[in-house]
């Protein structure tokens, strides 16, 4: 698989990976080995970043769209994410609220659909 696909599966930011990782293809066995016994560079990237957008969004408890609306387009380090969490700016509070409202609505619809299926049975 392409290094970009492997990086996505490992939840790491591709430009921050070592050159030898970015240069060649990654087999499924190599990916499994990286997941089972991560080398130091992978452990360090996962701990300190920079992190890809999906990881940043998850750690901030917002959507990736929310990050885009806020103008956060670059990868953030763990330190930068922790700084945002410690003193959340207005956009972060707003996006967290929006994200929670969307999740609440999704749960409501899922429950409604489950009730409908139960009554139809």
């Amino acid at each position: 698989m392409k290094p970009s696909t492997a990086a996505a599966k490992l939840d790491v930011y591709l430009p921050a990976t070592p050159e030898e990782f970015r240069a060649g293809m990654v087999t499924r066995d190599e990916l499994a080995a990286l997941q089972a016994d991560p080398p130091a560079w992978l452990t360090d990237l996962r701990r300190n970043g920079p992190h890809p957008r999906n990881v940043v969004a998850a750690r901030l408890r917002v959507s990736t769209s929310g990050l885009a609306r806020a103008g956060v387009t670059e990868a953030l380090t763990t330190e930068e994410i922790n700084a945002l969490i410690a003193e959340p700016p207005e956009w972060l509070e707003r996006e967290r609220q929006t994200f929670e409202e969307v999740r609440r609505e999704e749960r409501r619809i899922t429950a409604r659909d489950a009730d409908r299926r139960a009554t139809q049975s």
Side-chain angles (χ1 to χ4, degrees):
M1 69 186 73
K2 293 180 183 177
S4 59
T5 303
K9 289 180 181 283
L10 293 169
D11 276 336
V12 294
Y13 185 57
L14 181 62
T17 60
E19 178 60 35
E20 53 273 7
F21 180 82
R22 286 179 272 146
M25 299 298 276
V26 178
T27 66
R28 291 184 186 275
D29 291 337
E30 291 170 335
L31 179 65
L34 288 170
Q35 290 171 326
D37 186 26
W41 66 265
L42 181 55
T43 303
D44 186 51
L45 270 180
R46 286 178 169 168
R47 183 182 319 116
N48 301 320
H51 303 287
R53 293 172 48 83
N54 65 317
V55 173
V56 173
R59 289 187 179 192
L60 292 175
R61 296 189 334 263
V62 299
S63 66
T64 54
S65 299
L67 288 177
R69 282 190 295 272
V72 179
T73 58
E74 297 186 21
L76 299 179
T77 64
T78 300
E79 186 176 307
E80 293 168 326
I81 293 169
N82 289 340
L84 286 171
I85 292 170
E87 294 183 33
E90 183 181 322
W91 69 263
L92 181 56
E93 293 291 340
R94 186 176 58 251
E95 291 301 334
R96 279 180 172 172
Q97 184 178 19
T98 301
F99 187 65
E100 185 53 39
E101 288 171 6
V102 168
R103 290 183 61 170
R104 191 176 311 119
E105 180 65 8
E106 288 172 348
R107 287 191 300 268
R108 185 190 70 77
I109 291 170
T110 301
R112 181 199 67 193
D113 292 347
D115 288 345
R116 285 180 180 171
R117 281 191 300 275
T119 56
Q120 290 175 354
S121 298

